Amino acid sequence: MSGLALFQGALKVKEVALMHSEGILAGEMKHGPLALVDEQLPLIVLATRDRLHNRQQNVIQQLRARKGNLIIMCRWEEWQEVDATQIILLHLTGPPVPTTARVHSTP
């Protein structure tokens, strides 16, 4: 999963549920959005096991501490490690999607 999947998911929530949604990367939560979290705010978290896993787990703990209504999307193999209001299990096939994209240009 990647940041692009996160933003695309937020767009789909807007289109289907007709409600405001934002895709926010874990590293950006401390720069304002975390202050808006309470028990009334549904939060969909894409939990991944990539190089930023520890940072992401830190943010999830902070969301729990603020009594956020957590809906966590994670891989089938990792669901027992999750403490959330709701869990959406993902059955991923194929190689993981990179979290960053490289753009190559030709001279």
Side-chain angles (χ1 to χ4, degrees):
M1 288 180 270
S2 69
L4 295 176
L6 175 74
F7 299 126
Q8 188 66 26
L11 180 61
K12 290 298 176 192
V13 169
K14 288 178 186 178
E15 292 173 352
V16 175
L18 302 176
M19 60 186 295
H20 178 76
S21 64
E22 291 184 52
I24 301 172
L25 299 171
E28 296 175 356
M29 284 298 293
K30 293 183 181 180
H31 300 287
L34 196 57
L36 302 173
V37 174
D38 63 12
E39 61 274 351
Q40 300 298 315
L41 182 67
L43 301 160
I44 300 174
V45 177
L46 298 177
T48 59
R49 283 240 182 237
D50 59 9
R51 61 186 170 80
L52 301 174
H53 178 74
N54 290 337
R55 191 177 299 174
Q56 183 183 62
Q57 292 303 309
N58 184 347
V59 170
I60 290 172
Q61 289 174 356
Q62 291 179 18
L63 295 172
R64 275 194 212 113
R66 288 168 174 77
K67 298 185 180 11
N69 182 8
L70 292 178
I71 303 165
I72 297 184
M73 298 177 71
C74 64
R75 293 174 49 117
W76 174 260
E77 298 83 14
E78 299 163 358
W79 73 271
Q80 293 176 333
E81 301 173 23
V82 174
D83 179 23
T85 306
Q86 297 179 48
I87 300 171
I88 299 173
L89 298 176
L90 304 174
H91 296 274
L92 301 177
T93 59
V97 177
T99 56
T100 58
R102 293 185 182 173
V103 178
H104 297 280
S105 60
T106 55

